Amino acid sequence: LGILDKVLSTVDIQKMRYAINAFFYPPQGDLAMWIRRCLTGRLNLTCLGLALLAYAPLRAAQPQTQAGSPQGARQRGIELFEKYIRPVLVDKCYECHSKSAETIEAGLELDSPAGLTRGGDSGPVINRLEISGNSQQNATAAKSGQANQATSSLLLRVLRHEDGLPSMPPDEKLSEEILRAFQQWIQLGAPDPRESTGVSAAQLQFERRRQHWAFQLPLAADPPAVEQADWPRSPIDTFILARLESQGLHPVHDANRATLVRRLYFDLIGLPPTPEQVREVVEDTAPNAVTKLVDRLLASSRFGERWARHWLDVVRFAESSGKEFNFTYPHAWPYRDYVIDALNHDKPYDQFVVEQIAGDLLPAEPYESAADREARLIAPSMLAFGPKRHNSGGMDFRMGIVDDQIDVTCRAFLGLTVACAKCHDHKFDPIPTKDYYALAGIFLSTEPLYGTIKQKYSNNPTDLLPIGPNGATLHAAASAYEKKIVAAEKPWKAKQEELKKAEAALKAATLQKKEAAKKASADKKGTSDKKETGEPNTEKRLAQTGQPVQPNGKKLAAGKSGVTKPADQTPQQAFDAAVAQLAAAGALVTKLKGELAPLQTAVETLKKHRPPRPPYAMSARDRAKPADTKIAIRGDFRKPGATVPRGFLSALEVADAAAVNPAHSGRLELARWLTSTQNPLPARVMVNRIWYHLFGRGLVESVDNFGLMGKKPSHPQLLDTLAVQFSRDGWSVKQMIRSIVLSRTYQLSSQVDATCMERDPDNRLLWRATPRRLSVEVIRDAILAVSGQLDLEPPQGSPVTALGDQMVRGVDPGKLQPPSNHRSIYLPVVRDYLPDLFDRFDFPSPSLVSGRRTVTNVPAQALYLRNSPFVAEQALHAARRLLATGKTPAKVTGQGTVKGAKSVKSPADAIASRALVNRAMRWTLARPATEAENQAALALVRPILNAKPPIKNGAEAAWATLFRALFATAEFRYLVDIEPATTTTPQATPITDAAKINGAMHLAANRSASLREEIP
Amino acid sequence: VHALGAHQSAAPADPALSRREWLKLGSCGFGSLALASLAANSAAASSSAASFSAAGPLAPRSPHFPAKAKRVIFLFMNGGPSQHDTLDYKPQLYADGGKTGKNKQKLLAPLWSFSQYGQSGLWISELFPHLAKQADRLCVINSMQTDSRAHPLATPLLHTGSFQSVRPSMGAWVLYGLGNPNANLPGYITVKPTRTFGGPSNYGSAFLPSAYQATRIGWEGQPVKDAKLSHLSSQEVMPGVSQGVLDLTQTMNRQLLQRTAGDPDIQGVIDALDLSAHMEHSVPEVLDLTRESASTLAMYGIGKERTDDFGRQCLMARRLVEAGVRFVELANRGWDQHSALDTILPKRCQEVDQPIAALLTDLQQRGMLDDTLVFWGGEFGRQPETQILSGKVALGRDHNATGYTVWLAGGGVRGGLAYGATDEYGYEAVENPVHLHDLHATMLHLLGLDHLRLTFRYAGRDFRLTDVYGNVVHDLVA
């Protein structure tokens, strides 16, 4: 009765409060709900007696299983739900946690049983304990279990406003009574009588987002009809022209030949054309002159060196680990060479992708060459050279690598930012967290082989891949030899130990003898009948007796501790014994030393004659026990959620994809899925990357993000048509480049048209060629090419290899970037320690995936070009080269012929000087100087040539200044129209047009031009 | 005329002066007569295109809301200074020194005495006698917390707000948010940065355009006397050549500008070259401490062995911010007292005490302290207990990320404030804890930047300095 009384009071008040609350606080705008709640409240009052009986055991917090079957528990739970839980959910939670919510907070939907069961980003919110069976034992166990389960349920902890968790509802804490009801309800298995509301909001959202254009298979479209039908040269042009015409725009003129030649040289091989190379094409009247040039450039080995760099940006290639302890990666460079080779040999892009993900897992082809096999083993380096925290360990370390691998894989090949799904379902794209861990399982089952050695702060060394001819054999021999050294070191080290002990004993014996000598001498003084001093006497005595010494260090040591010093010994006797001991100890040391020497020599000899090691590369391999992994709640692997089977992104349904073989990591299946023609993204993403490098802007501007937050394609049909063509025609990168650069669109001039500029100032519709700045590698290579210093022979390996395994901060920065005249792609890419020039000219951080580079114009660049020793030195080299050409008769086209210009030291040699100016201009800008430029250049050069007193090496110095000026010009580092050779004065743009253009550009700068909104 | 736009953007206060300066530079250069006709040709195009230079990455931008501070001097005490011995007065720790603490080591009573200073009565230890005189200017936060007690993680965390990934440094964010007020100087300068624990990424721009990374002067360990900014001048065979080279380059650039109908990128190149010429002139001038009076040098402790180096750094910082640099970081290393606290900590304090006090005084005297935000602190603090090193009790303290002390001064913060508190021994913040993300948010707030709105889209989402954290601590704001 007492219990009932107690229960009555709480239940009664609670019910009444709810009824009153419901009446006075109607839910906004929802009359039906208000009526329902009031009714519920009144019903509660009416049926109080009945309810009391039903709830009495619950109120007492004594859910006795024997008092009811599971069905009974469910029934009680449902009643609790209706009375307490549902009103709270509706009233306090749905606003943010239901389908009707504007955004579903924390991924938690509380308006359906499925949502409640599923939980949110932090995992399940209710820990259910199934009540099964009726036995007393089970019931007791279940009882305590239930209580724990309930209190540990996230839902309850959040409602209780526990520390370290969000407090819900945000502005108020529910009453204790309601909280207790929640607890009991969970203890009763959290039964939920609500009807399923069909698919959850998350599923709905997933389906809706999956309709995004990029997740649909690309379909080739027929080129549209165009008015200016004689303009297009290829389907590309038709698509472009159609779009231009639809906006009332038109393409400008074609670029002149010299402009096109320069553009093609830089775009395809990243080097400036020599004057001869320009002339060759300019003077070639054959209709296929440009095609021949394109084919020649694509066939050049320089092509791979240019385009590999684009790819290295994407895969964040680097030769050190970065992060807080930055360790060298001496064996990353083979990947660089692999990419260069792949591009030069036009390796089909799908194969290129498969090799980088799973080259090590590909079955050996019957006629596969050793080089091909090695290439596909090096390719997975991409999974190994990412930034890493080598000082961490365990899952911290492994998960860090996996996060990076998922990020680079999905952004590089799919243009998707999957990393966002690590902690919660992707906020924008249809990528649920479980997909992230499906991929994580694959990469956790993979062991990246990046090398490094065990040293301070480097806890996780791995094997490496021996490469080169006989790489494996050499590595095996070297490893066996290392074992031999270890074996030889064993007896040597043991002997060393022995010697150490013997030496300690000798030291002790020496001391003991000294002591004994002191005592003996004191004793002698006392008796004073012997004259001899201790020392010589000892020697003599020893020599006389010739007593054999027992080479037993241990015994001597024991003797030291007093065994050989009986009490009845006289000091002299003790002294004699000590002398003997000392002799024995000395003899032992001598003997051991003698024995040690050959052992040491043996080790040293072995070490001196180490067999040559092969070069090594990074790689990857499957771990011994591939396994699925668990979702890490909120990205924290210490809070594991449900296990997810290994797999791919569920939004991209690839019909012909194979499921992961449980015995393997699943990388090969992933690679096949990534390159399937049924996968809508890989071809589009790569075609777009190619387009970006040739136009300075992708058809999809966000080249690494094709998701919902990415930019929409400016020419969707063109993109899709090219994507289909790409995969259909054997994924040939070279063919794709070829068809783009042979289009009329690519070959447009960069001339400005006032109307077009006004309508489309950003040139999104490609009515002209946008002036583009060369990338830093190209700027450097061009300077070296002009100076004649460029070493086109690819270097062997990398300077980082010579540094060995060490922490970068300990290396002199000069050694990280030793002087080099090789092409820029071969300069070491040490994270955080890039060449100065790279840092200044927008080289992307090699710790981050960067498909697109920013282009900035800042004074630091100007300072470098004007004042750096590098540019000064190259200018001097260029001047020497220029003067050398001047000494022999040289034909200079365009500006007449120079005959036998011997020396420019004479100021009178004006013609020769003018020829030199022209040549310098042709080297740097692929065009001769205008008359005004010629004058200006000579005005710079002459005072130095004519200086009184003469300047040492004045000619070199003088012409070097001209090159310094040229290297710093915008024209040198921009792809812009070259004025035809005949034009000596620049064509002035008509004033009206100029005003219009400037107005349009102003608009462009203010980001409010007309087409900006219309053109995605 | 040509560079007028650039100067308007660089120094909007006095365009006329800029114009005069430019004319002086541009018209009496080497071989200028021959260039005159060319320059005239390109003038029409460039003057109208000039306005575009304002869109450059470093162009000054308005803050989100009126700013209290316009610039930052960030004093990084590398290693983690001991708050118990400097700025977090713990009477109970004196009393209970020698007793066993909660981490099972002996509590180490502070080795120096504290007194109250100024109107505010701020508690400061005898290790900072000069700074103590500035007590009423200091906004001491005793309740700092950060996410890691390991140098390698806490250092990038302090500088970039993250240790998991490479992220832009705070200075880069500030430059991105506010631009560079004086284009004649780099907007973000770091002096003698560390090469350890992330090294250059602590002052890098990560995914922000590289224009926002810091310009480095020297390396840690190098005397600041020998530290130089590179490429500010070149060897010339005869005087005037450099100007002549620049004139020819710019003449050709202006011609190209005309040919490209005023392409904004080409205009950008022209502006950058002009600015580089100004930088050549202004940077050495700003860094030339000999222009300071003997009394100023003495105030900073320059010339005295122990204070010379940091004194130079502080004076350099004052000269830099005075000239308009947005963000300057100075570093002093060796604050990691696991042992020898009794001998090393006083040395460190002596090195920085007088110079920093002089910096505050100097800024105040020049009316700049009000809008210059000064930060002092390490990547974390230290423990109240002694440390066992190699099995032996050392006179030192281990790292502490749960409670430590930093201070702010100037820039709109409340002076003479001791904010928040640690427990009685100084293990952890118990009152008004301020997480590092909160500190970042607050510093941005003082600069007029809303840390929630200062974002950059990268890899499919908008990133910010404070990631998904950070609350502005309004109590620190005056």
Side-chain angles (χ1 to χ4, degrees):
Chain A
L1 246 161
I3 292 171
L4 260 172
D5 274 345
K6 198 177 158 196
V7 168
L8 182 74
S9 61
T10 56
V11 173
D12 196 343
I13 290 161
Q14 177 56 32
K15 295 252 159 352
M16 285 173 67
R17 182 183 296 162
Y18 182 72
I20 292 162
N21 271 342
F23 184 81
F24 284 107
Y25 300 101
Q28 275 186 340
D30 195 342
L31 190 66
M33 188 181 284
W34 177 66
I35 293 170
R36 199 168 67 234
R37 283 197 207 154
C38 291
L39 279 176
T40 316
R42 217 180 50 192
L43 269 175
N44 282 337
L45 290 173
T46 318
C47 305
L48 189 60
L50 201 65
L52 263 180
L53 284 176
Y55 287 110
L58 299 175
R59 279 290 110 196
Q62 298 280 336
Q64 301 291 319
T65 19
Q66 74 265 35
S69 63
Q71 286 74 26
R74 183 180 156 74
Q75 190 49 45
R76 286 199 312 281
I78 287 175
E79 284 163 21
L80 269 179
F81 181 85
E82 293 298 351
K83 306 261 169 350
Y84 295 94
I85 315 297
R86 190 200 290 261
V88 169
L89 293 179
V90 172
D91 218 18
K92 312 279 184 201
C93 308
Y94 281 11
E95 192 183 336
C96 304
H97 297 291
S98 73
K99 266 196 252 335
S100 50
E102 214 161 285
T103 51
I104 298 169
E105 296 293 336
L108 178 63
E109 296 173 45
L110 295 173
D111 57 340
S112 69
L116 195 61
T117 306
R118 177 177 162 271
D121 297 340
S122 300
V125 294
I126 289 172
N127 301 345
R128 281 201 174 85
L129 190 85
E130 294 304 323
I131 303 167
S132 58
N134 282 327
S135 82
Q136 186 64 42
Q137 221 178 0
N138 270 357
T140 318
K143 196 172 74 187
S144 66
Q146 284 156 19
N148 288 340
Q149 293 297 102
T151 46
S152 69
S153 286
L154 190 58
L155 181 65
L156 203 63
R157 297 174 59 203
V158 164
L159 291 177
R160 282 186 173 148
H161 292 198
E162 280 189 19
D163 282 347
L165 290 170
S167 304
M168 290 292 153
D171 302 326
E172 59 163 300
K173 194 173 170 185
L174 299 174
S175 69
E176 273 309 312
E177 289 86 348
I178 296 184
L179 290 178
R180 231 175 292 142
F182 265 95
Q183 180 176 347
Q184 286 163 3
W185 171 66
I186 293 169
Q187 283 170 4
L188 290 167
D192 188 344
R194 290 175 299 178
E195 273 179 29
S196 168
T197 47
V199 286
S200 69
Q203 281 166 301
L204 275 177
Q205 198 174 51
F206 178 85
E207 289 304 330
R208 202 168 54 241
R209 288 173 172 179
R210 214 160 67 157
Q211 304 309 310
H212 179 60
W213 70 270
F215 303 132
Q216 318 311 315
L217 274 179
L219 295 172
D222 289 331
V226 288
E227 287 166 36
Q228 209 181 328
D230 60 343
W231 189 79
R233 206 179 285 152
S234 78
I236 292 174
D237 300 324
T238 317
F239 283 108
I240 297 293
L241 182 62
R243 190 77 208 275
L244 285 171
E245 287 178 346
S246 75
Q247 299 289 338
L249 305 181
H250 53 85
V252 295
H253 294 299
D254 296 342
N256 62 44
R257 206 37 95 67
T259 301
L260 186 57
V261 171
R262 185 168 182 259
R263 188 184 295 168
L264 281 166
Y265 265 83
F266 278 128
D267 276 348
L268 299 190
I269 66 166
L271 291 170
T274 63
E276 294 71 31
Q277 285 165 334
V278 177
R279 194 180 60 230
E280 187 185 346
V281 187
V282 168
E283 290 175 357
D284 188 344
T285 51
N288 65 344
V290 174
T291 311
K292 281 190 293 185
L293 171 66
V294 168
D295 287 337
R296 200 160 63 235
L297 293 175
L298 286 172
S300 157
S301 296
R302 310 284 84 82
F303 165 79
E305 291 167 338
R306 167 74 166 134
W307 280 73
R309 193 50 252 178
H310 296 325
W311 187 252
L312 297 183
D313 279 9
V314 173
V315 296
R316 76 324 173 217
F317 170 78
E319 300 178 69
S320 77
S321 71
K323 299 275 178 129
E324 59 270 23
F325 293 104
N326 192 355
F327 287 96
T328 51
Y329 283 156
H331 313 291
W333 64 267
Y335 175 85
R336 172 198 73 199
D337 289 359
Y338 160 81
V339 177
I340 295 171
D341 282 352
L343 285 160
N344 275 337
H345 293 107
D346 201 18
K347 182 170 276 183
Y349 178 71
D350 59 341
Q351 188 189 341
F352 182 60
V353 175
V354 168
E355 288 181 354
Q356 288 176 76
I357 297 292
D360 58 308
L361 301 177
L362 285 172
E365 296 292 330
Y367 301 106
E368 188 178 41
S369 73
D372 286 348
R373 179 173 178 279
E374 186 169 288
R376 66 172 167 81
L377 290 173
I378 291 170
S381 295
M382 190 202 79
L383 301 174
F385 53 63
K388 274 185 280 301
R389 297 185 47 233
H390 283 283
N391 50 315
S392 59
M395 264 307 264
D396 250 332
F397 181 68
R398 282 176 61 181
M399 212 48 216
I401 294 177
V402 167
D403 292 339
D404 168 67
Q405 288 166 332
I406 292 176
D407 185 42
V408 71
T409 301
C410 295
R411 280 167 72 197
F413 304 123
L414 298 174
L416 288 179
T417 56
V418 174
C420 297
K422 182 186 175 184
C423 308
H424 47 69
D425 290 351
H426 198 293
K427 293 272 187 224
F428 313 111
D429 292 337
I431 305 169
T433 300
K434 70 175 174 51
D435 286 7
Y436 188 89
Y437 291 92
L439 290 170
I442 293 175
F443 288 116
L444 279 169
S445 302
T446 300
E447 185 189 12
L449 302 179
Y450 43 78
T452 73
I453 54 167
K454 188 139 178 107
Q455 54 178 313
K456 202 174 181 195
Y457 305 124
S458 171
N459 307 330
N460 307 279
T462 70
D463 290 347
L464 283 162
L465 174 73
I467 56 171
N470 304 321
T473 319
L474 286 172
H475 175 70
S479 302
Y481 196 85
E482 286 306 316
K483 278 187 192 143
K484 236 162 98 183
I485 292 177
V486 172
E489 277 176 338
K490 226 175 185 178
W492 175 49
K493 281 184 178 156
K495 195 63 80 182
Q496 264 180 326
E497 271 312 297
E498 227 177 292
L499 176 64
K500 223 161 108 187
K501 277 181 192 155
E503 278 171 340
L506 176 62
K507 207 174 158 190
T510 313
L511 273 176
Q512 203 183 357
K513 197 213 75 182
K514 234 178 222 166
E515 283 296 304
K518 238 183 245 166
K519 278 183 189 156
S521 126
D523 188 47
K524 247 181 273 166
K525 262 184 197 151
T527 53
S528 123
D529 59 343
K530 285 176 187 170
K531 283 276 163 202
E532 292 160 299
T533 59
E535 298 293 328
N537 188 25
T538 334
E539 300 303 319
K540 206 190 276 174
R541 200 173 290 218
L542 198 67
Q544 283 166 354
T545 54
Q547 206 178 350
V549 181
Q550 292 302 313
N552 191 328
K554 271 188 183 166
K555 266 196 179 164
L556 279 168
K560 193 185 99 187
S561 64
V563 179
T564 56
K565 216 176 159 189
D568 57 348
Q569 256 182 346
T570 65
Q572 186 56 47
Q573 278 170 330
F575 174 71
D576 290 349
V579 168
Q581 255 179 28
L582 176 62
L588 178 61
V589 167
T590 314
K591 173 179 171 282
L592 287 176
K593 275 187 178 160
E595 288 168 1
L596 188 66
L599 291 175
Q600 187 171 351
T601 315
V603 171
E604 276 166 7
T605 316
L606 275 174
K607 282 187 174 171
K608 220 179 277 174
H609 297 95
R610 277 196 165 102
R613 277 199 176 269
Y616 290 90
M618 292 182 166
S619 188
R621 66 185 169 209
D622 276 7
R623 289 190 190 275
K625 286 178 188 159
D628 296 335
T629 191
K630 291 186 164 73
I631 287 179
I633 303 295
R634 294 222 165 250
D636 184 352
F637 63 80
R638 291 167 200 87
K639 295 176 192 152
T643 301
V644 185
R646 278 165 286 161
F648 323 121
L649 300 183
S650 49
L652 299 176
E653 271 178 11
V654 172
D656 56 356
V660 170
N661 177 342
H664 299 145
S665 63
R667 266 187 298 131
L668 191 53
E669 294 89 336
L670 171 65
R672 301 279 186 223
W673 174 84
L674 274 173
T675 51
S676 164
T677 50
Q678 297 298 303
N679 188 326
L681 281 168
R684 273 194 187 118
V685 169
M686 187 55 183
V687 162
N688 190 58
R689 290 191 190 285
I690 293 170
W691 190 276
Y692 161 71
H693 293 303
L694 294 170
F695 287 93
R697 179 192 282 119
L699 292 167
V700 173
E701 213 175 322
S702 52
V703 296
D704 295 327
N705 189 3
F706 277 53
L708 278 94
M709 291 303 273
K711 295 278 168 69
K712 283 182 186 146
S714 57
H715 299 76
Q717 287 188 322
L718 172 58
L719 175 67
D720 281 8
T721 305
L722 289 176
V724 170
Q725 180 192 326
F726 184 49
S727 56
R728 190 193 55 210
D729 295 354
W731 303 84
S732 163
V733 171
K734 281 191 182 179
Q735 283 309 310
M736 183 48 59
I737 293 172
R738 190 176 187 275
S739 51
I740 293 174
V741 299
L742 289 179
S743 73
R744 196 159 182 181
T745 308
Y746 173 83
Q747 299 183 7
L748 284 174
S749 140
S750 58
Q751 143 197 19
V752 169
D753 176 277
T755 318
C756 295
M757 186 54 117
E758 198 181 318
R759 295 280 291 139
D760 180 17
D762 283 349
N763 193 27
R764 301 260 9 225
L765 299 186
L766 299 169
W767 48 269
R768 68 161 181 159
T770 308
R772 281 179 281 143
R773 198 193 74 198
L774 301 174
S775 65
V776 61
E777 299 88 339
V778 179
I779 294 172
R780 178 180 168 276
D781 290 356
I783 291 175
L784 286 168
V786 169
S787 74
Q789 295 298 300
L790 184 63
D791 183 354
L792 283 174
E793 187 63 32
Q796 291 295 310
S798 160
V800 181
T801 317
L803 295 175
D805 287 290
Q806 56 174 318
M807 222 188 290
V808 172
R809 73 185 191 209
V811 184
D812 171 6
K815 281 190 183 148
L816 294 173
Q817 297 296 340
S820 162
N821 285 341
H822 288 293
R823 290 200 71 177
S824 301
I825 191 169
Y826 298 112
L827 297 187
V829 187
V830 179
R831 289 192 168 108
D832 293 336
Y833 293 91
L834 296 171
D836 198 9
L837 179 65
F838 283 26
D839 258 344
R840 287 163 192 253
F841 280 92
D842 306 307
F843 189 86
S845 164
S847 295
L848 303 169
V849 174
S850 313
R852 187 173 54 163
R853 291 190 182 185
T854 51
V855 177
T856 62
N857 250 324
V858 290
Q861 298 164 349
L863 285 173
Y864 188 92
L865 291 174
R866 293 180 53 221
N867 296 332
S868 73
F870 169 75
V871 173
E873 198 180 306
Q874 297 312 318
L876 204 58
H877 282 300
R880 285 188 196 127
R881 192 178 150 224
L882 185 73
L883 290 168
T885 61
K887 277 173 189 154
T888 52
K891 203 180 155 217
V892 180
T893 52
Q895 296 284 299
T897 308
V898 182
K899 277 175 191 150
K902 287 190 204 76
S903 163
V904 287
K905 277 181 187 160
S906 152
D909 203 345
I911 299 170
S913 294
R914 294 171 74 87
L916 290 182
V917 171
N918 271 327
R919 190 168 296 140
M921 293 281 284
R922 287 178 185 282
W923 285 357
T924 47
L925 308 176
R927 67 172 176 90
T930 62
E931 180 53 32
E933 285 168 341
N934 221 315
Q935 282 180 27
L938 291 174
L940 175 67
V941 170
R942 277 199 184 119
I944 306 172
L945 289 173
N946 300 338
K948 297 272 184 314
I951 287 166
K952 198 183 161 202
N953 298 325
E956 283 176 12
W959 291 101
T961 58
L962 176 59
F963 280 105
R964 280 173 50 196
L966 293 174
F967 288 152
T969 59
E971 194 172 347
F972 180 68
R973 64 186 126 125
Y974 275 82
L975 289 177
V976 286
D977 277 8
I978 294 171
E979 291 294 287
T982 47
T983 316
T984 48
T985 46
Q987 208 77 50
T989 319
I991 293 298
T992 47
D993 268 13
K996 248 182 166 180
I997 290 160
N998 288 326
M1001 285 214 172
H1002 190 75
L1003 282 176
N1006 288 325
R1007 304 212 152 268
S1008 58
S1010 52
L1011 276 180
R1012 271 171 207 271
E1013 275 74 52
E1014 294 168 40
I1015 302 166
Chain B
V1 176
H2 322 86
L4 187 57
H7 279 271
Q8 274 170 341
S9 65
D14 193 357
L17 176 73
S18 312
R19 181 175 177 169
R20 209 164 53 234
E21 267 178 12
W22 188 85
L23 288 174
K24 198 174 76 192
L25 264 159
S27 61
C28 50
F30 190 78
S32 58
L33 275 179
L35 306 174
S37 63
L38 272 175
N41 273 344
S42 47
S46 54
S47 65
S48 46
S51 51
F52 305 132
S53 61
L58 294 169
R61 277 172 290 279
S62 302
H64 297 141
F65 41 80
K68 304 244 182 194
K70 294 202 173 90
R71 56 197 89 83
V72 177
I73 298 177
F74 192 98
L75 308 170
F76 175 41
M77 302 296 114
N78 191 346
S82 162
Q83 71 270 32
H84 306 91
D85 303 288
T86 54
L87 293 159
D88 192 9
Y89 178 49
K90 292 287 142 197
Q92 199 61 39
L93 188 56
Y94 284 100
D96 292 345
K99 292 185 184 164
T100 302
K102 73 172 182 184
N103 296 336
K104 308 281 181 270
Q105 310 302 333
K106 295 267 190 309
L107 287 167
L108 176 61
L111 301 178
W112 295 272
S113 64
F114 278 69
S115 307
Q116 285 182 287
Y117 292 91
Q119 301 260 307
S120 54
L122 222 54
W123 287 96
I124 298 176
S125 96
E126 58 186 319
L127 288 177
F128 283 134
H130 290 87
L131 197 61
K133 291 180 195 145
Q134 311 281 331
D136 291 341
R137 298 201 171 116
L138 304 183
C139 174
V140 178
I141 309 170
N142 287 129
S143 54
M144 282 299 300
Q145 295 192 317
T146 184
D147 289 340
S148 171
R149 43 174 284 178
H151 302 291
L153 305 186
T155 307
L157 199 62
L158 171 65
H159 286 94
T160 71
S162 169
F163 57 76
Q164 287 94 346
S165 315
V166 176
R167 295 282 171 253
S169 56
M170 186 181 185
W173 279 112
V174 170
L175 206 55
Y176 163 66
L178 299 175
N180 182 6
N182 180 355
N184 294 345
L185 292 169
Y188 172 19
I189 288 178
T190 182
V191 184
K192 294 176 59 174
T194 173
R195 286 186 66 192
T196 57
F197 309 141
S201 64
N202 285 307
Y203 54 90
S205 57
F207 46 69
L208 293 177
S210 56
Y212 299 122
Q213 70 192 337
T215 300
R216 178 180 57 79
I217 300 180
W219 281 117
E220 179 183 84
Q222 184 183 28
V224 76
K225 260 183 181 168
D226 306 339
K228 290 214 167 49
L229 227 149
S230 49
H231 309 322
L232 281 175
S233 61
S234 54
Q235 293 276 315
E236 296 302 348
V237 286
M238 59 188 276
V241 166
S242 184
Q243 187 59 50
V245 169
L246 180 62
D247 288 346
L248 177 58
T249 304
Q250 292 290 58
T251 305
M252 290 181 66
N253 286 343
R254 290 193 190 96
Q255 193 188 354
L256 181 66
L257 186 69
Q258 190 190 19
R259 259 164 53 201
T260 56
D263 188 280
D265 281 354
I266 309 301
Q267 181 64 50
V269 172
I270 292 171
D271 292 346
L273 279 160
D274 277 344
L275 294 174
S276 76
H278 292 264
M279 279 172 84
E280 284 182 343
H281 186 66
S282 51
V283 172
E285 196 179 297
V286 170
L287 294 181
D288 180 7
L289 303 187
T290 62
R291 292 165 181 257
E292 295 287 337
S293 69
S295 62
T296 303
L297 297 177
M299 175 168 79
Y300 280 87
I302 295 169
K304 282 200 297 185
E305 189 196 341
R306 191 148 285 170
T307 47
D308 184 76
D309 196 79
F310 205 70
R312 282 174 189 278
Q313 288 193 53
C314 284
L315 183 52
M316 206 186 252
R318 192 223 79 209
R319 290 181 62 85
L320 287 168
V321 295
E322 192 177 38
V325 176
R326 185 72 79 183
F327 199 108
V328 179
E329 174 163 347
L330 310 179
N332 186 262
R333 68 169 171 180
W335 291 83
D336 192 20
Q337 274 73 53
H338 292 280
S339 60
L341 183 74
D342 54 335
T343 54
I344 311 241
L345 186 62
K347 276 188 199 158
R348 291 292 94 80
C349 292
Q350 279 172 35
E351 281 165 11
V352 303
D353 180 41
Q354 185 185 344
I356 294 175
L359 175 65
L360 296 180
T361 308
D362 204 2
L363 288 171
Q364 175 72 32
Q365 283 169 358
R366 286 159 196 266
M368 289 176 64
L369 189 59
D370 289 344
D371 56 7
T372 304
L373 179 61
V374 182
F375 164 89
W376 178 95
E379 64 272 40
F380 41 55
R382 309 203 81 82
Q383 296 284 355
E385 299 177 4
T386 50
Q387 196 170 6
I388 306 290
L389 282 177
S390 320
K392 280 189 279 186
V393 177
L395 196 56
R397 304 181 186 277
D398 204 351
H399 307 158
N400 185 356
T402 55
Y404 67 103
T405 296
V406 305
W407 59 256
L408 300 170
V413 300
R414 282 172 63 189
L417 176 72
Y419 185 78
T422 49
D423 54 60
E424 56 181 352
Y425 296 125
Y427 283 106
E428 59 185 305
V430 291
E431 186 190 309
N432 293 327
V434 177
H435 191 277
L436 184 62
H437 296 305
D438 302 331
L439 178 74
H440 285 155
T442 308
M443 290 177 74
L444 291 182
H445 176 83
L446 290 164
L447 289 159
L449 296 168
D450 179 350
H451 72 109
L452 301 173
R453 281 157 68 199
L454 186 66
T455 62
F456 189 86
R457 168 117 354 134
Y458 166 74
R461 78 171 173 98
D462 289 335
F463 282 87
R464 52 183 166 95
L465 173 62
T466 47
D467 197 1
V468 297
Y469 312 100
N471 293 299
V472 174
V473 186
H474 290 282
D475 289 348
L476 302 178
V477 181

